[in-house]
Every structure is written in structure tokens, then in C-alpha cells.
Amino acid sequence: MRGFLPLLTCFAILQNVRGWREFSRGRWNGGNLRLLEGDDSIIGDFENVITDWFTQYLDHSNPTDDRTWKQRYYVNDQYVSKRRDVAFLMIGGEGEASDGWMVQGAWINYAEKFNAICFQLEHRYYGESHPTADMSTENLQYLTSEQALADIAYFIQEMNVKYELSPNVKWIAFGGSYAGSLAAWVRQKYPHLVYGSMSASAPVLAKINFSEYHTVVYEDLKDTGGDKCVSAVKQAFNQVDLMTRDIAGQRKLYKLFHLCDNITESTSSSEDIVILFDTLRGHFAGIAQFNKKNGGPHNINLDTLCNIMVNDTLGPEVNRLAAVNYLMTAHRCLDCKYDTMISEMRDVSWDSEAPVGGRQWYYQTCTDFGFYQTTDRIPLDFFIKQCSDIFGPKFNLTIVERGVQRTNTLYGGLNPSVTNVIFVQGSYDPWHALGINKSTKLYPAVVIDSASHCENMYSPSVYDSEALRQARIQIEEFIGNLLKSA
Ligand SMILES: *[C@@H]1O[C@H](CO)[C@@H](O)[C@H](O)[C@H]1NC(C)=O
Ligand SMILES: *[C@@H]1O[C@H](CO)[C@@H](O)[C@H](O)[C@H]1NC(C)=O
Ligand SMILES: *[C@@H]1O[C@H](CO)[C@@H](O)[C@H](O)[C@H]1NC(C)=O
Ligand SMILES: *[C@@H]1O[C@H](CO)[C@@H](O)[C@H](O)[C@H]1NC(C)=O
Ligand SMILES: *[C@@H]1O[C@H](CO)[C@@H](O)[C@H](O)[C@H]1NC(C)=O
């Protein structure tokens, strides 16, 4: 599969497993709208897909700044009618854009049905869309949702001309995860350019202390394996906690979880312990977020994890957690060094080894969104400290608070004043806690039972639930009605 960033592949097997490299803060390395290797529904013909570059302004808020850069986009015009009056835009989010999406996904089925020309615009600062020479903190000041929305607006105007679209063309935007928020916001901010949107799994409410994320993960575990699974997981974390407190316990942790370095009082910072917790909880969170659809590595889902956690022949709960860890890390050692993580995230070069898009996304959390998935053992301070350790002392709690308030002021949080948008959530997806789950007079909302993050955006498959099938039909009807209305 082209354009897909493999999650756990051969070349990685020799490396250490770093929790922050694979799945961290509710984001998979490379972004949340992932195309899957081995997806059984890959169809279509890349011959129809064009890759091109759009000359974009760096700073849309300052007309005296004439610096420009090249933004990557993809086009597939195989379904467009002679009237050229329907255009679909897949909005790029917090990861590299993928040409795979130009030939598959539910939106391609809709494009075929409604004769749309399809565009995908990569988000500034991700993938190959590099607005600045590097990712220094100074240069990242142009990485904001507002700039990204303006990028979309200028892009649409240009494509209308370049592709000789009808003066009555209707643009429909699609996006999932952060890009789902952008899909709603671009309609809100530029209604003269975007006629309507499908916004999937969008955390439209910016929030610093996102403790609800883990509440949903526990609900999912309960739904999957009952109270037995939940209490085994909680018990295991309590046992890990106890073991962190003395040298004998720390040695046991080192062995049990196959850590790359001994966690001992003398060699570790307290952040290393928090990273251990963050990585272990990430095993459950990552699978909950993508559960059945995206199965994670080796098609693991929540059933797999609960089956291990309640299997008492494996020993005490902490040993079962170690078995989960063993499975999720493909047997590699676990790197919990805070200092290593920070030094990777400080790398400002575009070809850095840092998790793809990790530095950029962390910057957006510090300045725009928060979204810190706190638990009893993973305190807010841990995340805020990273903002200042990665980007400089200026980036403290005050800055994050101001950024989050600003974002909610700009867009209206859970009460946006927007029409022609359909908001779609999966009930298993922890991110749904920051999204719109109720229809109003202005817009419809669909909550898909037991669905995961952005699940409705993938191509239909034989494994889809009835609820998911129905939701895709509802979305298709919604788009059909938008295109019908005058
Ligand atoms: C974050 O939210 C949780 C749950 O509401 C709460 O227990 C915790 O104290 C909060 N943390 C901070 C730093 O506000
Ligand atoms: C870690 O500690 C264990 C037990 O004390 C010891 O056997 C091992 O050699 C240590 N490993 C490293 C990498 O320091
Ligand atoms: C429990 O784990 C043991 C050891 O790995 C395995 O043989 C057994 O099949 C497991 N039991 C269940 C019910 O999965
Ligand atoms: C953040 O830093 C500013 C000065 O740069 C300071 O005024 C403010 O009190 C700091 N906030 C916190 C929460 O430490
Ligand atoms: C729907 O959203 C509201 C507001 O965020 C929240 O209180 C409620 O728990 C959500 N319901 C579900 C089923 O997610």
C-alpha cells in the first residue's frame, strides 16, 4: 500500500520500542487517519491520481509578508461529470497525506455516485508540505488551525479556476480526527467556498485536562470483557505502581516489561516512571481507539487484551499486563527515557528520526488544543513540562490555557454556529468525548454504536456492523440532499 506508514515492521524490530513513537497522546505515529496495510478493500487505479504542488502564502494574517511555499495535493477526476459542479475535498490532518485515500475510502464511493472531482490537500507542516526551512519553535508559529483553514480557502479558489469547475460548483469537505474539526470549521468560516462537510470523530472542543479519554477506554474494556477485565487492568496498574517504589520492585519491572534501561532510583527521573505508565496505558488506548477496524499490530483488538488480562493461569495481574506488553511491543525492549524522548522531539529538521509529525502535533497541543490524556498516575504537569522542555520555557501552563481558550472562542467548541455539516462519532472512540454527539436544528449528529475512530471513512467491508452500514447510508443521503438543494 503506497503512502502508508507501517506501524510495526521489520526495520523497526531491531530498534527499541518507544511508547511515544508508536501510539501516544491518542495519536498514532504518522497521524490518526491511517490507511492499513493488508486492508482487504483496496481498490481503484492510481493511474487517475495526480500529485501536484500549490504555491501557498506562509502567513495569511499578514499581507506584507510575501513568503510562499509549496503545499502538496492530490487530484482524482475520474468520476467528475461534464458539468463539473461537484468537488470533494479530503482535508489533511496531523500526519502525511496519502494517495491511497485517492482511490479508496467511503468518500470515493460517494464521489462515484455523485460525480465529484476529488482533491486531497496535505496539512501545512506535515508530510512533504514544508512551509519553512525547518521546524524551529520560531518557524512553528505559522502552524495553527486558522492558517490551515486559510490554506484550504485559497486552494479551493485556485482549483475552481485550474480545473474549470462550474460557477455553481459545490465543494463538500471530508475530514477525520483533527481534520474532522477542520472540515466543520472550514464550512463555518468560509461558507461561500465550502457548501457542506462530513466531520468524523472530530474533537471540536479544545480541552487541557482530557481525563475523559481514559474514562471511555475503561467503558470499552467493560463492554468487551466486563468488570473482570476492568478490575484486572486496574489491579495490574496498582501492582506496577507498588513495584516502582523500591529497588527490588524496580528490578522486577525491568525484567517483566523488558525495559531497555534499568529503572532505578539512581538512574531514572520520575518522568521515566510516568512514561512507563503512559506506554502501558497506551497499549489499551491505542487498541480502543482503533479496535476492530484498525486492529493495531497483528490484528489485536480489545477482546485479545481482555482475554489476556482475565487469564489467571498467567499469574498475578501484573504478569498478564506484561503479556499484553510483550504482544504489543513485538518482543522488543521498551524505552522509557524521558530525556531520549525530549531530545528526539527537539530535533527541528524535516528528515529527523522523530515520530513522523510528532513534534508538529505536540506543538499544536501546546498552543491550540491541550488534549492531554491524564490519569491518576499521568498528571497534567507531565504534559505541560514537555511543552516547555521541547519548545522553550515560555511554553508553560498559562500559554496552553490561553491557546485552548482562544481555539474555543474562535470556533465555539461544542456549540458551533454551522450548517450543512454532519458530525459522526464512534461510541468506542475515546475522542468522541470532545465531539458533537447530538443533532440540533443546525446540523445532524450520528453516533455509531461500538465504532472506532474515523471508522465510517474507510471503505465498506464485510466485517462492518449494521450500525456502521446504516451510518454510511445516512451520510450518503445527507450529501445527496446537499447536492440536490438549490
Ligand atoms: C483533571 O481532571 C480529573 C478528572 O476530572 C481530576 O481528577 C484532576 O484533578 C484534573 N487535573 C487537574 C490538574 O486539573
Ligand atoms: C539491570 O539490573 C539487573 C538486576 O539488578 C542486572 O542484572 C542487569 O545487568 C542490569 N542491566 C543493565 C542494562 O544495567
Ligand atoms: C491462558 O493462558 C495460557 C498460557 O498462555 C493458555 O495456554 C490458555 O489457553 C489461556 N486461556 C484462555 C482461556 O485463553
Ligand atoms: C508562565 O510564564 C509567564 C512569564 O513568561 C508567567 O507570567 C506565568 O506566571 C507563568 N505561568 C505559570 C503557570 O507558571
Ligand atoms: C454527548 O456529549 C455530551 C456533551 O459533551 C456528554 O456529556 C455526553 O456524555 C455525551 N454522550 C455520549 C453517549 O457520548
Side-chain angles (χ1 to χ4, degrees):
M1 172 83 250
R2 289 199 284 161
F4 166 65
L5 189 83
L7 185 65
L8 286 170
T9 54
C10 315
F11 73 83
I13 281 177
L14 297 175
Q15 300 175 349
N16 306 338
V17 172
R18 295 171 178 158
W20 68 86
R21 274 178 170 271
E22 314 286 338
F23 179 79
S24 114
R25 331 287 186 244
R27 175 188 179 279
W28 281 100
N29 188 1
N32 268 341
L33 194 63
R34 303 185 304 146
L35 276 179
L36 288 181
E37 220 169 9
D39 195 317
D40 44 51
S41 47
I42 294 168
I43 37 113
D45 189 348
F46 284 98
E47 266 170 35
N48 298 300
V49 179
I50 298 167
T51 309
D52 212 339
W53 301 85
F54 177 65
T55 302
Q56 189 68 267
Y57 285 114
L58 177 62
D59 185 0
H60 296 290
S61 67
N62 180 4
T64 68
D65 185 339
D66 61 3
R67 284 175 294 171
T68 60
W69 55 285
K70 298 278 191 214
Q71 185 165 21
R72 182 165 66 173
Y73 67 97
Y74 298 108
V75 192
N76 179 351
D77 67 357
Q78 76 182 109
Y79 304 116
V80 74
S81 74
K82 284 211 176 70
R83 291 197 304 277
R84 304 181 85 74
D85 57 356
V86 181
F88 283 0
L89 174 65
M90 173 75 84
I91 298 176
E94 74 294 353
E96 180 163 22
S98 163
D99 57 357
W101 281 109
M102 299 312 295
V103 298
Q104 66 166 317
W107 79 305
I108 294 293
N109 300 345
Y110 303 147
E112 195 169 358
K113 166 129 193 185
F114 298 116
N115 298 116
I117 181 169
C118 295
F119 297 90
Q120 181 185 186
L121 182 64
E122 188 166 68
H123 194 292
R124 54 167 59 202
Y125 289 90
Y126 293 93
E128 298 291 318
S129 294
H130 302 164
T132 45
D134 63 25
M135 294 185 281
S136 69
T137 304
E138 171 79 12
N139 281 339
L140 288 177
Q141 68 180 294
Y142 307 104
L143 173 54
T144 67
S145 61
E146 277 177 295
Q147 299 277 9
L149 294 178
D151 287 345
I152 296 168
Y154 282 93
F155 175 75
I156 287 177
Q157 287 182 325
E158 173 81 9
M159 292 304 118
N160 283 338
V161 177
K162 181 167 174 157
Y163 283 89
E164 298 175 339
L165 302 184
S166 156
N168 303 316
V169 64
K170 283 178 176 168
W171 282 79
I172 307 291
F174 295 78
S177 201
Y178 159 53
S181 301
L182 294 176
W185 297 337
V186 77
R187 162 67 190 167
Q188 188 177 7
K189 192 140 193 227
Y190 300 97
H192 52 291
L193 296 174
V194 176
Y195 195 77
S197 300
M198 194 292 299
S199 165
S201 301
V204 291
L205 178 68
K207 190 163 194 241
I208 299 181
N209 180 10
F210 183 18
S211 58
E212 295 86 349
Y213 186 97
H214 282 285
T215 311
V216 180
V217 174
Y218 275 119
E219 282 164 8
D220 295 350
L221 288 171
K222 184 168 175 178
D223 204 44
T224 306
D227 288 327
K228 258 179 96 178
C229 181
V230 171
S231 69
V233 173
K234 290 193 168 161
Q235 204 49 45
F237 279 98
N238 288 339
Q239 289 164 4
V240 172
D241 197 349
L242 280 177
M243 291 163 85
T244 61
R245 291 165 195 239
D246 58 55
I247 301 239
Q250 290 160 357
R251 285 188 179 150
K252 265 195 214 151
L253 284 177
Y254 169 72
K255 287 218 175 85
L256 259 180
F257 293 98
H258 196 27
L259 306 182
C260 305
D261 303 283
N262 277 347
I263 290 206
T264 62
E265 276 161 355
S266 57
T267 60
S268 296
S269 64
S270 55
E271 283 85 21
D272 295 353
I273 304 270
V274 181
I275 290 192
L276 174 62
F277 279 118
D278 198 19
T279 306
L280 296 178
R281 66 105 209 172
H283 293 335
F284 297 92
I287 298 303
Q289 189 169 318
F290 289 94
N291 202 30
K292 300 220 161 69
K293 177 69 205 172
N294 286 0
H298 324 303
N299 281 325
I300 299 163
N301 58 37
L302 286 179
D303 295 300
T304 325
L305 301 191
C306 277
N307 284 341
I308 295 173
M309 290 309 298
V310 302
N311 183 344
D312 47 23
T313 65
L314 297 170
E317 288 82 353
V318 70
N319 292 47
R320 306 176 209 165
L321 181 57
V324 165
N325 181 62
Y326 190 71
L327 186 68
M328 294 294 292
T329 57
H331 322 160
R332 294 168 296 161
C333 76
L334 204 60
D335 187 336
C336 295
K337 283 278 176 222
Y338 183 78
D339 293 345
T340 315
M341 175 181 76
I342 294 301
S343 70
E344 271 194 11
M345 296 285 270
R346 276 187 185 153
D347 191 335
V348 302
S349 69
W350 289 113
D351 52 7
S352 78
E353 290 280 303
V356 182
R359 178 177 167 84
Q360 300 92 304
W361 180 242
Y362 211 81
Y363 181 85
Q364 290 197 271
T365 69
C366 298
T367 54
D368 274 356
F369 303 120
F371 293 155
Y372 299 125
Q373 294 141 29
T374 58
T375 71
D376 298 353
R377 297 187 178 92
I378 310 173
L380 190 57
D381 292 350
F382 169 72
F383 298 102
I384 304 296
K385 183 175 184 333
Q386 288 175 61
C387 290
S388 31
D389 286 348
I390 298 168
F391 300 109
K394 195 170 86 184
F395 293 79
N396 64 10
L397 182 60
T398 307
I399 296 283
V400 183
E401 280 170 345
R402 198 175 141 202
V404 162
Q405 191 193 11
R406 179 171 177 278
T407 297
N408 291 330
T409 303
L410 283 174
Y411 307 117
L414 290 172
N415 298 296
S417 184
V418 66
T419 58
N420 291 4
V421 177
I422 188 165
F423 290 97
V424 187
Q425 311 291 345
S427 74
Y428 265 37
D429 171 23
W431 287 101
H432 85 242
L434 297 181
I436 288 168
N437 60 20
K438 238 181 150 165
S439 305
T440 71
K441 280 192 192 122
L442 295 178
Y443 45 74
V446 188
V447 180
I448 311 171
D449 193 39
S450 306
S452 54
H453 199 57
C454 305
E455 192 164 352
N456 67 291
M457 294 184 73
Y458 296 89
S459 294
S461 109
V462 290
Y463 306 110
D464 292 344
S465 69
E466 185 55 25
L468 179 54
R469 263 193 289 276
Q470 288 304 322
R472 287 220 189 81
I473 293 170
Q474 195 179 340
I475 295 162
E476 181 175 314
E477 284 171 358
F478 175 82
I479 296 168
N481 285 332
L482 288 182
L483 297 176
K484 235 184 281 163
S485 57

